[in-house]
Amino acid sequence: MRVTRMISGTALALLWPMAMAFAGGPPAPVGFKALEGKCVRVVAGDEDLTAGCNSKLGIISYADGRTGFYFLLSDNRILTFSGFGKARDRNTYGLDRVVYNDGTGAAMPRVVPASGSCAYGNPYKGPVTVRCKGRTPQGEIFAATFRSNGKPPKQ
């Protein structure tokens, strides 16, 4: 239980600047899940961030239907893949942006338009793999893969 509070409290404190980056004010969060497991790979452009990736992944749902997949990195950095669920496939999300928080708190997170998707299975039925991949209009690639330990997500 202590870990859950630490994840949600820390994550939400770090995510507030990212939420402020949305036009028209931040959407209201309506759901939070924390998966634990192994970060397999995280790449942002030419930079491989895998070594600094945390063993926790946050998934936040917002009132406007948006979902964010928050890959927690060392030094309070966060790489977020953000978009909306696809109507026909409840486990796939079409991306429209990637957000990078450098962890300093001094600057607003970098919000980049991107196309791509995030997909994962039902985390309540055992281990799942979360795969996100996005490409900016300039061709920069963002990709991340996380494998859960099979335990149900913490709320």
Side-chain angles (χ1 to χ4, degrees):
M1 193 59 137
R2 185 174 81 67
V3 172
T4 303
R5 277 189 229 128
M6 182 179 78
I7 293 169
S8 59
T10 301
L12 290 175
L14 292 171
L15 301 177
W16 182 250
M18 193 283 304
M20 293 303 293
F22 289 91
V30 295
F32 176 78
K33 293 181 205 139
L35 294 177
E36 293 186 16
K38 178 173 177 38
C39 185
V40 178
R41 179 175 179 244
V42 177
V43 175
D46 295 334
E47 191 176 358
D48 185 342
L49 303 171
T50 306
C53 193
N54 197 304
S55 61
K56 296 166 189 70
L57 172 73
I59 303 172
I60 298 180
S61 302
Y62 295 93
D64 65 356
R66 178 175 296 282
T67 296
F69 296 84
Y70 295 83
F71 289 82
L72 307 175
L73 307 167
S74 60
D75 300 323
N76 294 325
R77 296 174 298 153
I78 301 171
L79 180 62
T80 305
F81 294 83
S82 182
F84 295 90
K86 295 187 175 183
R88 294 187 184 149
D89 182 356
R90 295 179 49 168
N91 296 323
T92 303
Y93 297 80
L95 300 178
D96 63 355
R97 64 182 69 152
V98 175
V99 182
Y100 180 66
N101 183 333
D102 69 6
T104 64
M108 290 299 287
R110 179 178 167 216
V111 180
V112 181
S115 59
S117 65
C118 284
Y120 72 110
N122 184 341
Y124 295 97
K125 292 189 174 185
V128 295
T129 301
V130 178
R131 288 186 178 90
C132 295
K133 186 168 185 179
R135 178 185 297 268
T136 69
Q138 296 76 27
E140 188 175 20
I141 300 285
F142 291 87
T145 304
F146 183 90
R147 180 77 176 157
S148 78
N149 62 9
K151 294 181 182 175
K154 296 182 180 179
Q155 305 287 325

